[in-house]
Amino acid sequence: MRPRLKDVAEHAGVSIKTVSNVVNGYPHVSPDTRTRVEAAIAELRYQPNLSARNLRSGRSGVIALAVPDLSIPYFSELATKVIEVADLRGWTVLIDQTQGERRKEQLVMSGIRAQLIDGMLFSPLALTPEDLRARTDQTPMVLLGERIGGGTLDHIAVDNVAAAHLATSHLVALGRRRIAAIGAQRAARAVTAEQRLRGFRGALSDAGLSEHAVADVSDYHRADGAEAMARLLAGDPPDAVFCFNDTLALGALRTLLSRGLRVPRDVALIGFDDIEDGRFSTPTLTTIAPDKAHIAETAVNLLATRLSAAGAEPPQDLCAPHRLIVRESTATGRREG
């Protein structure tokens, strides 16, 4: 027989009302109780009767996730985490890709698909705080990524300045002194690049070093990293490079190896995002790892709060944790993460 709400309640040792609160995303459930109920749901493979619930609530049971580019592994991995968390609530996730284009992001923000979805998780690149403050659509929305919310919407982001400072400080601690960066951008939408460049420069300044070189890129794909690394090698070669994401670092790694340079002996290399590819490259890639699972869970929970009766409280602006994972590209023979 298909498990019922009552079965989940008995398995978790809580009331049916508590299970209902967890399934419907109500915020006033203790973390321990929520974890116990979610474990029971997973173990029993309980699936809410969405048709009946949605008829009662007037909701579709569908949320949207809008990201710039699913071909960048960070966003595809984050999307997977969001789908996993949303599934625990019986929600379906509609994925939208904006390519970071202002026109597409404005369509997302304007609620063009509002009749299909209950709420939206949105990672914009081209929009400004003024755009968000002028928004008239009432579909609940949680922002991911750079801090452009201006306090008008719930927001979860990584501290890019602190994370880039940590990455660069790691290279300094290795004794590297000709430290370069790959990933600066001149586009108006380049908030991520600006923040990571600030953290890079701050760490060098704190160490009493000047930047060796900074290579601009038009995008954050492997080919951009490979071409930028070739430009760095055409001048005075660096002895360490901080790439603003892992795909740039993987492209840079290819160029280094094709030129006969040894990583990390000749050039130490660090990326950002902790994508799966970096764990299987040769050498494996040292990286800054944002907690993607935490970001996904927090974003979905924030959206659930907005969809509940308790959703009138002020917007929250939250910072996701990050950590340094040292692998072979900066420490030969050492494997972590």
Side-chain angles (χ1 to χ4, degrees), residues 191-222:
V191 180
T192 298
E194 291 173 3
Q195 293 179 349
R196 293 181 187 176
L197 183 61
R198 195 187 322 155
F200 167 73
R201 287 174 169 164
L204 292 178
S205 177
D206 290 347
L209 299 174
S210 57
E211 66 186 54
H212 182 72
V214 174
D216 291 354
V217 296
S218 58
D219 217 326
Y220 273 23
H221 295 289
R222 292 169 180 81

Side-chain angles (χ1 to χ4, degrees), residues 29-325:
V29 179
S30 72
D32 287 346
T33 300
R34 185 181 299 278
T35 298
R36 195 161 70 250
V37 171
E38 289 175 347
I41 289 171
E43 187 172 341
L44 296 178
R45 297 183 179 179
Y46 170 74
Q47 293 291 332
N49 187 335
L50 297 180
S51 297
R53 189 178 77 183
N54 294 341
L55 282 173
R56 291 193 302 270
S57 66
R59 296 178 185 164
S60 67
V62 177
I63 65 170
L65 169 66
V67 297
D69 188 351
L70 286 167
S71 69
I72 293 179
Y74 171 81
F75 290 115
S76 58
E77 291 181 8
L78 178 63
T80 299
K81 298 293 185 184
V82 168
I83 291 168
E84 290 172 355
V85 178
D87 186 60
L88 292 174
R89 297 181 179 275
W91 293 352
T92 298
V93 182
L94 174 68
I95 307 293
D96 205 353
Q97 180 175 260
T98 67
Q99 297 295 343
E101 295 178 9
R102 181 175 174 79
R103 178 186 62 82
K104 292 181 180 180
E105 292 187 354
Q106 286 176 323
L107 286 174
V108 169
M109 185 183 63
S110 68
I112 191 171
R113 295 181 175 86
Q115 71 276 14
L116 302 176
I117 63 173
D118 298 326
M120 165 78 71
L121 308 180
F122 184 24
S123 178
L125 290 183
L127 297 182
T128 66
E130 291 72 24
D131 291 325
L132 294 169
R133 284 193 288 269
R135 177 175 179 255
T136 57
D137 177 59
Q138 297 302 306
T139 305
M141 180 180 289
V142 175
L143 293 177
L144 311 175
E146 314 326 321
R147 296 182 177 276
I148 64 168
T152 60
L153 295 168
D154 291 313
H155 198 173
I156 174 75
V158 175
D159 187 338
N160 279 300
V161 177
H165 192 289
L166 176 62
T168 310
S169 296
H170 172 63
L171 299 176
V172 172
L174 297 175
R176 307 300 170 121
R177 294 298 178 263
R178 303 191 314 280
I179 303 175
I182 294 176
Q185 292 182 310
R186 299 178 183 179
R189 69 182 190 176
V191 180
T192 298
E194 291 173 3
Q195 293 179 349
R196 293 181 187 176
L197 183 61
R198 195 187 322 155
F200 167 73
R201 287 174 169 164
L204 292 178
S205 177
D206 290 347
L209 299 174
S210 57
E211 66 186 54
H212 182 72
V214 174
D216 291 354
V217 296
S218 58
D219 217 326
Y220 273 23
H221 295 289
R222 292 169 180 81
D224 301 285
E227 190 274 333
M229 191 71 246
R231 280 187 276 125
L232 290 176
L233 295 178
D236 181 18
D239 63 8
V241 180
F242 167 42
C243 296
F244 289 5
N245 81 345
D246 283 352
T247 48
L248 288 174
L250 292 172
L253 177 62
R254 174 62 183 170
T255 295
L256 288 166
L257 298 181
S258 69
R259 301 292 178 88
L261 293 167
R262 297 162 297 179
V263 178
R265 183 173 299 180
D266 298 321
V267 181
L269 190 66
I270 186 170
F272 198 119
D273 286 343
D274 188 31
I275 65 172
E276 186 178 22
D277 288 354
R279 300 168 213 162
F280 295 93
S281 60
T282 304
T284 54
L285 185 63
T286 294
T287 189
I288 295 295
D291 191 335
K292 293 187 280 286
H294 176 89
I295 293 169
E297 183 176 5
T298 300
V300 170
N301 288 344
L302 286 169
L303 189 58
T305 299
R306 291 296 158 198
L307 291 170
S308 74
E313 59 190 51
Q316 297 188 59
D317 196 2
L318 305 176
C319 189
H322 63 268
R323 63 191 178 104
L324 170 70
I325 298 179

